[in-house]
Amino acid sequence: MSQRITVLVEHLEGQPTDVTFELLGLARRIAKTNGAAVEALLFGETVRHLAQTLPADRVVMVEHPLLRYLAPEATAITLTTLLRTDPPWLVLIPNTSLGMDVAAWVAATLDWPLIAYCEALEQHDGQLVATAQLFGGKILADVKLEDRPTVISALAGTFATDALPPAPPGTIEHRDPPAELAALRTRSVVLERPEAADVDITRAEKIVAVGRGIESKDNLELAEQVAEALGAVLAASRPLVDAGWLPRSRQVGKSGLKVKPKLYFALGISGAPEHLEGMKDAELIIAVNKDPKAPIFSVADYGVVADLFEVAEALLERLEG
Amino acid sequence: MTIVVVMEQVPDVVEELVIAPSGTDLDRDAVSYVINEYDDHALEEALLLAEATGDEVVAVGIDTTGELDQALYTALAKGARRAIKVTGDFEGAWLSTRAAAQLLVPVIKELDPRLVLTGVQAPDDLDGQLAPTLSALLGWPHASVVISSEIADGVVRARKELWAGITMTLELELPAVLGVQAARQAPRYVPISRVRQVMREASIETREVEPVGDLAPSLMRLRFPAETSQAEMLTGNASEIADRLIELLRARGLL
Ligand SMILES: Cc1cc2nc3c(=O)[nH]c(=O)nc-3n(C[C@H](O)[C@H](O)[C@H](O)COP(=O)(O)OP(=O)(O)OC[C@H]3O[C@@H](n4cnc5c(N)ncnc54)[C@H](O)[C@@H]3O)c2cc1C
Ligand SMILES: Nc1ncnc2c1ncn2[C@@H]1O[C@H](COP(=O)(O)O)[C@@H](O)[C@H]1O
């Protein structure tokens, strides 16, 4: 094991995703305190051009057509092969849809510990401590990092990028793809983009967002009315979209859209980490929730502990009356 | 052929959670358990697949709470053909994902399914997701964050959600493991009377297993998030709050 901190680079359609830079920034901050080197692992079909954009001490590249979209099996096998031959101290993997599939597989295969849902990684009394979110963000767990290779899957939108030195990287190395890629049991991987939506919530200045607190599809009408009265568009948390009450294009969060409106008015949304990821950078966040411990209040500018129906109706009365 | 659905009871996060005096677990007496919501979706997706293929759905769970029966009977009432509960000396234990996977692997091997479905994630684990962990231990391909699937010609075609509506459709050779985020349709409802009937007519199989050692991260403590929020809490009755909100929005030129 060397004092190396390795980051798995996530990219889509020729661009590293934001979380990649967040993890490189995190790795850099830890590296500074203990002299470790920061390594970026860049897999893809042809990714040479991306290597130049990565601020790391070393970029290790593996190119293969099957690595094009970073699909789970090919990525996990390639990553495991590299890590096994030259184990680093920490492996940082984004806790995204792509990363989630890889992190647990790699950790289980190598028999290394995994700390998932990590939102902070900091020195405390000379000891590196990871903080993970549990129970929908209602509880945090502090975990001591041992002196052994450890996989960490870290939340997107959580780590600052200010510690990053300017790219290009120190060195760029090329590795052969592992032989196992010839025997994958993933036969095809197709990427699809969504059709254009009726409303683009990422461009909206004002958003009224509803969550499971709205209780039924019929009650959505009340939220629509509030949105209309405020000149806002209606968006929602994931469960409402899964229930088919609103189209996918209205979903805010990790697997939905990231929004940054001037106003985000959240009604009956608990504020699970996956939701916060999509809206915490809104300029003004007002949240109504009957649970005073709802994590949404941790990102809100103004909070109201109340029944959303009462507040919505009172608002409507004022605005329309 | 068989499709296995793995089900787990998790603390209901809508309720108030209390940290136990040990500082490293919840106060389990204060917890009420619900079935992990993504397991309902995994079960629904399994039932839809089975309706199309004639496969048999087997619901499997590890009984860490002593209360798993209700969830398994519900699965039977919805259309699962068998239900198996893994029991052992771990009641009240907080199993890591790795330990759960190790306990489940022999049961899965015994059932010899062509597909294993789990919920995409549960809120109670520190060490990541079960589906990719099982995939690694079983040596089967997998995808998580799945929102629809189809079995055809020796493969499962699974649609995985990335973000912003972008999806990845993978064709995986069977047997395979999927972590289900959402079923193609909302999970079906089953009346309690039907569950009661099933409780009288069907039985849950058990598999007694030995606890496994595992490689859980070394947990120092649990804590509540610091009250770092700058949120100003507005109080009063609904109309006073409405007035304040309108005032606030006007002051910012948002109305
Ligand atoms: C891989 C992955 C990706 C995900 N992506 C997303 C995503 O993109 N977007 C997303 O939103 N979620 C996403 N989720 C789901 C996320 O984890 C939460 O389950 C979800 O955000 C919860 O939605 P909610 O807040 O509406 O519901 P709940 O968590 O059920 O919260 C409902 C809230 O309403 C409150 N409430 C109830 N009744 C009232 C009332 N009358 N008045 C006021 N308040 C009331 C309750 O106190 C509660 O806080 C994802 C999950 C996974 C695993
Ligand atoms: N202890 C467990 N017992 C049974 N199923 C589990 C257990 N842990 C995880 N699972 C399954 O894996 C899914 C995802 O949980 P996790 O991987 O822990 O985030 C759950 O929804 C269950 O389907």
Side-chain angles (χ1 to χ4, degrees), chain A residues 36-120:
Chain A
V38 175
E39 173 186 67
L41 298 184
L42 174 61
F43 306 158
E45 186 173 22
T46 43
V47 284
R48 198 166 285 268
H49 59 293
L50 291 187
Q52 298 294 340
T53 68
L54 298 170
D57 298 316
R58 166 166 93 161
V59 176
V60 173
M61 247 188 327
V62 182
E63 294 182 316
H64 191 282
L66 289 171
L67 289 168
R68 177 160 179 206
Y69 297 123
L70 300 177
E73 196 184 14
T75 307
I77 286 175
T78 306
L79 181 57
T80 306
T81 309
L82 289 183
L83 296 175
R84 188 181 274 131
T85 18
D86 187 6
W89 174 36
L90 302 178
V91 187
L92 307 184
I93 297 178
N95 192 73
T96 54
S97 178
L98 290 173
M100 275 164 69
D101 279 8
V102 172
W105 196 96
V106 167
T109 302
L110 293 168
D111 209 13
W112 293 359
L114 165 65
I115 301 165
Y117 318 104
C118 176
E119 64 148 41

Side-chain angles (χ1 to χ4, degrees), chain B residues 159-241:
Chain B
R159 193 142 176 243
K160 168 184 172 67
E161 193 169 54
L162 300 190
W163 50 80
I166 304 173
T167 61
M168 179 185 271
T169 302
L170 300 122
E171 264 183 27
L172 307 175
E173 281 174 27
L174 298 172
V177 184
L178 302 181
V180 177
Q181 165 92 60
R184 274 168 270 169
Q185 65 182 42
R188 64 195 65 188
Y189 170 77
V190 60
I192 192 75
S193 57
R194 173 82 192 111
V195 179
R196 289 224 184 86
Q197 188 188 345
V198 164
M199 289 171 91
R200 285 192 301 269
E201 290 166 2
S203 58
I204 293 169
E205 300 165 47
T206 51
R207 296 288 181 282
E208 177 86 23
V209 298
E210 292 295 317
V212 291
D214 82 84
L215 221 153
S218 39
L219 179 60
M220 293 159 63
R221 59 167 185 158
L222 298 180
R223 61 189 162 95
F224 295 104
E227 297 279 347
T228 50
S229 160
Q230 266 92 66
E232 183 183 331
M233 302 309 281
L234 308 182
T235 51
N237 62 35
S239 57
E240 287 161 358
I241 285 165

Side-chain angles (χ1 to χ4, degrees), chain A residues 95-97 100 136 138 210-215 236-240 242 251-257 267-276 278 288-292 294-296 304 306-309, chain B residues 13-14 37-38 120-122 145 161-162 181:
Chain A
N95 192 73
T96 54
S97 178
M100 275 164 69
K138 280 193 155 180
V210 283
R212 202 140 43 181
I214 199 80
E215 282 169 14
S237 66
R238 167 149 209 143
L240 275 61
D242 284 344
Q251 183 185 319
V252 173
K254 182 193 193 81
S255 51
L257 293 154
L267 297 170
I269 293 180
S270 62
E274 293 85 2
H275 188 81
L276 300 189
V288 182
N289 195 305
K290 65 182 184 188
D291 174 6
I296 189 82
V304 183
D307 180 79
L308 75 88
F309 298 103
Chain B
V13 300
V14 173
E37 63 173 305
Y38 304 115
V120 60
Q121 76 179 33
V145 204
E161 193 169 54
L162 300 190
Q181 165 92 60

Side-chain angles (χ1 to χ4, degrees), chain A residues 116-233:
Chain A
Y117 318 104
C118 176
E119 64 148 41
L121 201 49
E122 280 158 12
Q123 298 280 346
H124 290 291
D125 309 324
Q127 173 84 53
L128 196 58
V129 174
T131 301
Q133 290 183 352
L134 291 178
F135 303 108
K138 280 193 155 180
I139 302 261
L140 298 177
D142 291 331
V143 179
K144 201 160 54 191
L145 275 137
E146 320 252 325
D147 209 11
R148 54 173 299 172
T150 300
V151 183
I152 291 174
S153 82
L155 299 173
T158 308
F159 299 99
T161 50
D162 51 5
L164 285 176
T171 61
I172 300 179
E173 295 170 25
H174 214 270
R175 297 286 157 77
D176 288 334
E180 291 92 326
L181 288 190
L184 284 199
R185 284 141 314 151
T186 303
R187 293 229 191 115
S188 79
V189 180
V190 178
L191 213 65
E192 274 171 84
R193 296 210 146 266
E195 288 167 22
D198 60 334
V199 174
D200 182 356
I201 59 169
T202 64
R203 286 168 186 271
E205 283 208 340
K206 293 184 253 180
I207 292 178
V208 170
V210 283
R212 202 140 43 181
I214 199 80
E215 282 169 14
S216 75
K217 188 175 183 188
D218 292 343
N219 291 339
L220 274 184
E221 201 181 317
L222 178 64
E224 298 259 22
Q225 286 169 348
V226 173
E228 203 167 307
L230 291 172
V233 303

